Amino acid sequence: MRGALHSRALSMGARALLRLNGQAGRMQALRDWERLPEAEAQGRLRARLRGLLEYARAHSEWWAERMKLAGCDPGADDVLGELRKLPLLRRMEIQEQGEALMTRAPGERGVRWNRTSGSTGEVTYFYTDRNYRAWNEADKLRWYMESGYEPGERVVFLWAARRDRPTGAAWSERAANRWLRNLVWIDTMRLTDSELDAAVEQLADFRPRLVVAYVSSAQVIGERLRERGVELKGLRGVQTSAELLPPEARQSIERCFGAPVFDRYGCREVGIIAHDCAAAHERHVSTHNNLVEILRPDGTAAGPGEPGRVVVTNLNNRAHPFIRYEVGDLAAWSAGPCRCGRTTPTLAELQGRTVGQIITPSGRLVHGQALVRLIWGVPGVRQFQVVQEAADLLRVRFVPLRGADLAAAAAEYERRVHERVDPALRVEFERCTELAPNAGGKIEYVTSQVPNPYRVGER
């Protein structure tokens, strides 16, 4: 099967790069883990979970109190049962508690500050440790390889989160990004007609082996590839992420790029949750890194094919534990094992969030992430929803933090929109006690009611 890591031998250069990058051992551990017999995998998972819970209890007063109140004993034989005694951890709680959720272990090093993209309408600040980042990078790399990539080959990112872009780092890190990954970054935050053509030219000139993209970015640029009759020779796969991938979007991207699509599901807080395999395009849970629960509304475990809330316990990040973290998505378990040979559980259905696009009065296509980014740091905004109601009007529905100044928040966001998106856009703020979900039960955090000439089916 094209793109399958196990179906082709890696070159000597690729193997050398993995050793040099320090990821060969971690990637081998990940590959070994996902083919373990179920009983052995469960035993290892319980041991890792017990270690996480004991560490959190020992080094965080907040977690120790939470476990005490819930009657959770990490040392008990049934550690999975003890985990389920804990209440779910939600974004609002992380926002309100702040650094209280962090551990304070003696001599702890390599801790870095991070934040979510805000595509949920809620920006969350947290910390990661060196161990988490190392395993997360190994997980990313092995799934790049499952999608057809080999270390050192050319890769293009069609990405709307500029903070992920590998610039501004130390010279050694910049050199490694260019030499090891051999990548080109195409910013899809805001795209004019000419910028779409330029993106197509870059893709054609660079001839990547792998494209990593936001779903909406891949759709828009893929359509322009098709319109221009551009064929990306040598492309082995397209890895989509950050947004929901419905079947029709997968088919459209595969048709336009001429390569199979591999979907990556995750979030910044816990890394990759699940990823398509090459053999069957089943979304395999990264169980070495994340323990995943699918829960019914009453908190009990959902059965195969039964949609439920996605709850994740990250097993690596001890600096800022995410234990029973509700990510805000709905998913369902598959019924049986995957034919690819992996023994890890798979997600049959995923009902994630979508971040829409708007078309400005000047005709520029703006990714929803641009509007999300601009609200970072605006005082008093806890959760929000941006709706383009007219060509020149954005309505921002928001749930405020306590003591929020509506006028100040509105003025600051409008200033940012005028400065960085389009000065012709008007912004109106609407205070809400809660945001209304759509018919599918999900909140659309950026959406437009204005016809979009770049969107398939609207031209």
Side-chain angles (χ1 to χ4, degrees):
M1 193 69 169
R2 182 170 54 166
L5 174 61
H6 56 273
S7 69
R8 56 188 178 86
L10 291 178
S11 68
M12 290 181 62
R15 291 196 297 271
L17 288 173
L18 284 176
R19 289 194 297 272
L20 182 64
N21 200 33
Q23 294 290 28
R26 292 188 188 92
M27 291 182 64
Q28 187 60 51
L30 291 170
R31 288 194 290 269
D32 291 345
W33 181 287
E34 65 189 8
R35 295 178 186 276
L36 289 173
E38 183 178 358
E40 185 175 352
Q42 283 292 307
R44 293 191 185 185
L45 185 147
R46 286 193 294 270
R48 300 195 71 217
L49 174 63
R50 179 173 286 108
L52 170 70
L53 294 178
E54 289 177 341
Y55 188 93
R57 183 176 63 176
H59 298 293
S60 166
E61 292 182 4
W62 191 89
W63 280 109
E65 182 66 15
R66 192 176 184 86
M67 291 182 197
K68 180 180 178 180
L69 291 174
C72 169
D73 178 12
D77 290 339
D78 182 14
V79 68
L80 289 171
E82 296 300 307
L83 172 72
R84 296 183 186 110
K85 293 179 181 179
L86 291 172
L88 302 186
L89 179 66
R90 296 185 169 89
R91 284 186 178 86
M92 184 188 302
E93 203 165 24
I94 298 171
Q95 291 172 325
E96 292 174 347
Q97 297 298 324
E99 294 189 5
L101 275 68
M102 291 186 66
T103 59
R104 294 293 189 273
E108 190 171 37
R109 296 181 179 179
V111 175
R112 293 180 185 174
W113 171 86
N114 207 332
R115 67 186 177 198
T116 63
S117 66
S119 61
T120 63
E122 299 173 283
V123 179
T124 304
Y125 299 89
F126 62 100
Y127 293 82
T128 63
D129 59 28
R130 186 180 291 124
N131 183 62
Y132 165 82
R133 294 193 300 274
W135 281 107
N136 189 46
E137 286 304 309
D139 210 16
K140 283 184 182 179
L141 185 54
R142 65 98 172 232
W143 287 120
Y144 288 163
M145 294 168 71
E146 181 76 11
S147 306
Y149 169 76
E150 190 171 294
E153 291 185 328
R154 297 176 179 183
V155 56
V156 168
F157 283 77
L158 307 177
W159 211 249
R162 289 178 175 172
R163 66 187 307 267
D164 293 331
R165 187 170 183 164
T167 58
W171 71 267
S172 57
E173 190 170 344
R174 293 199 305 270
N177 277 318
R178 179 61 185 174
W179 176 64
L180 178 61
R181 298 183 182 179
N182 199 10
L183 66 85
V184 162
W185 187 283
I186 298 176
D187 188 349
T188 60
M189 185 71 80
R190 290 179 285 270
L191 291 170
T192 62
D193 203 56
S194 61
E195 287 167 336
L196 276 171
D197 286 336
V200 167
E201 289 180 11
Q202 281 186 281
L203 282 163
D205 290 343
F206 192 62
R207 293 179 298 170
R209 290 291 184 267
L210 175 68
V211 170
V212 182
Y214 275 48
V215 172
S216 57
S217 301
Q219 284 186 281
V220 170
I221 293 176
E223 282 294 313
R224 187 55 58 95
L225 282 170
R226 184 187 61 79
E227 290 174 356
R228 297 290 184 264
V230 175
E231 181 181 352
L232 299 180
K233 296 181 179 179
L235 183 65
R236 297 197 192 105
V238 178
Q239 185 196 72
T240 55
S241 187
E243 299 163 331
L244 188 67
L245 179 72
E248 58 272 18
R250 182 192 291 271
Q251 294 165 8
S252 171
I253 295 168
E254 288 186 339
R255 181 176 64 252
C256 293
F257 280 87
V261 169
F262 300 83
D263 194 38
R264 183 178 82 193
Y265 169 51
C267 63
R268 195 177 296 273
E269 302 94 301
V270 299
I272 297 174
I273 298 172
H275 195 288
D276 279 356
C277 68
H281 287 283
E282 294 276 358
R283 293 186 182 91
H284 289 262
V285 173
S286 290
T287 51
H288 180 281
N289 296 337
N290 285 310
L291 187 160
V292 176
E293 301 173 73
I294 307 295
L295 302 180
R296 300 186 181 104
D298 63 2
T300 58
E306 183 181 0
R309 294 175 292 168
V310 179
V311 174
V312 179
T313 297
N314 182 266
L315 300 170
N316 297 319
N317 187 11
R318 294 189 173 187
H320 195 294
F322 282 84
I323 301 172
R324 301 207 85 199
Y325 177 55
E326 185 174 6
V327 301
D329 294 330
L330 299 176
W333 293 116
S334 298
C338 180
R339 68 172 185 266
C340 75
R342 291 177 175 86
T343 56
T344 47
T346 59
L347 300 178
E349 183 180 357
L350 179 62
Q351 300 172 19
R353 309 174 195 90
T354 58
V355 179
Q357 298 167 315
I358 71 165
I359 188 78
T360 70
S362 62
R364 169 172 280 188
L365 179 69
V366 178
H367 196 283
Q369 279 289 351
L371 301 172
V372 166
R373 286 180 71 248
L374 295 183
I375 213 159
W376 290 344
V378 171
V381 177
R382 182 180 69 77
Q383 189 181 35
F384 66 91
Q385 181 182 53
V386 180
V387 181
Q388 184 181 27
E389 294 186 344
D392 65 344
L393 175 61
L394 297 179
R395 180 171 301 281
V396 182
R397 301 187 179 106
F398 83 109
V399 179
L401 290 169
R402 187 175 300 172
D405 184 335
L406 173 60
E412 175 60 17
Y413 190 65
E414 186 171 46
R415 183 190 68 78
R416 295 181 183 190
V417 168
H418 288 171
E419 183 180 287
R420 305 179 199 178
V421 180
D422 195 321
L425 282 167
R426 294 178 292 125
V427 179
E428 294 184 2
F429 262 51
E430 178 183 327
R431 186 192 295 260
C432 303
T433 56
E434 62 180 2
L435 299 180
N438 60 21
K442 303 298 295 181
I443 295 174
E444 296 177 277
Y445 292 97
V446 178
T447 186
S448 177
Q449 300 169 1
V450 177
N452 184 340
Y454 296 104
R455 191 176 296 135
V456 179
E458 291 194 17
R459 284 176 291 192

